[in-house]
Amino acid sequence: MRILAIGCHPDDLEIGCGGTIAKYVKLGHTVIMAHAANGNMGHVIIPPEELGPMRTKEAENAGKILGAEEVINIDVGDLLVTSYDEEIAKRICEVVRYARPDAIITPSPNDYMRDHNETAKAVFNASFSASIPHYVTKSEAFPGNGCPIYYMDNLAGVNFLPTEYVDISDTIEIKLEALRCHDSQIRWMLEHDKIDFCDFVRTCAKFRGLQCNVAYAEGFRSCMTWPRIPTKRMLP
């Protein structure tokens, strides 16, 4: 299968589905990672013009560890992601057409900030628009009007009850190794917020694991709209 994981900020996929991405790759599937926002405002000291490129490089390094075929920066500024901007809509549609996915993973539409919620809406819209031939982007439309979408866990699991789980007991350390590539964020959260974010993420994975009787897990919710409901399991 071909899997497209579109997060909002450069570290969101590692947090929400890094173990699942690594598991897909171990099973021989192709994963393309993308992030809608460039992360340029994710620090209180490093200025946006320096931080954006820094975080792009961190995301590329993390993608290599997870085994992704490619990491794409859609390059929207932080706090500017919106599902109502036609230029952004076309950029995300182009990523979907380029990846030609069998399934998509993206943020939940009720996560903790607007950029995440708008990414979820924009990806949902783009996955449909990708099939419309007269909606023109660089790549051609491909058949079908919406592949399955899986929404990944909210930050800290707040207000999110998974409908599906992925056992990441064998990929939790890969997930955390990839997350550590985002040094600008890990260091900033430790120094500024006094949060050990790798421990934070491990704890959340352990909590989801307790819910489904494994050591570590990631939780997802299926997008339950026609025709996105498959008759077979798409998650690993």
Side-chain angles (χ1 to χ4, degrees), residues 149-160:
I149 293 177
Y150 296 93
Y151 296 121
M152 59 189 180
D153 214 340
N154 290 346
L155 190 64
V158 175
N159 197 26
F160 189 95

Side-chain angles (χ1 to χ4, degrees), residues 49-69:
E49 62 273 15
E50 293 181 22
L51 186 63
M54 184 184 302
R55 296 198 67 188
T56 296
K57 184 62 177 176
E58 289 173 344
E60 290 170 353
N61 292 339
K64 290 175 183 176
I65 289 171
L66 293 175
E69 180 179 84

Side-chain angles (χ1 to χ4, degrees), residues 52-98:
M54 184 184 302
R55 296 198 67 188
T56 296
K57 184 62 177 176
E58 289 173 344
E60 290 170 353
N61 292 339
K64 290 175 183 176
I65 289 171
L66 293 175
E69 180 179 84
E70 189 173 354
V71 178
I72 299 171
N73 178 11
I74 299 171
D75 204 21
V76 181
D78 282 4
L79 305 182
L80 298 177
V81 179
T82 172
S83 57
Y84 297 98
D85 185 303
E86 193 58 29
E87 172 60 28
I88 294 172
K90 288 205 168 189
R91 287 194 221 174
I92 294 177
C93 180
E94 168 58 25
V95 171
V96 174
R97 286 176 169 175
Y98 172 76

Side-chain angles (χ1 to χ4, degrees), residues 88-127:
I88 294 172
K90 288 205 168 189
R91 287 194 221 174
I92 294 177
C93 180
E94 168 58 25
V95 171
V96 174
R97 286 176 169 175
Y98 172 76
R100 301 181 72 86
D102 296 297
I104 294 173
I105 298 174
T106 202
S108 167
N110 71 330
D111 204 358
Y112 78 108
M113 66 171 298
R114 184 184 68 183
D115 278 353
H116 287 214
N117 302 337
E118 288 297 313
T119 296
K121 295 175 188 176
V123 170
F124 178 88
N125 295 341
S127 67

Side-chain angles (χ1 to χ4, degrees), residues 206-217:
K206 186 174 183 179
F207 170 65
R208 291 305 186 199
L210 286 169
Q211 293 179 329
C212 58
N213 200 32
V214 299
Y216 295 99

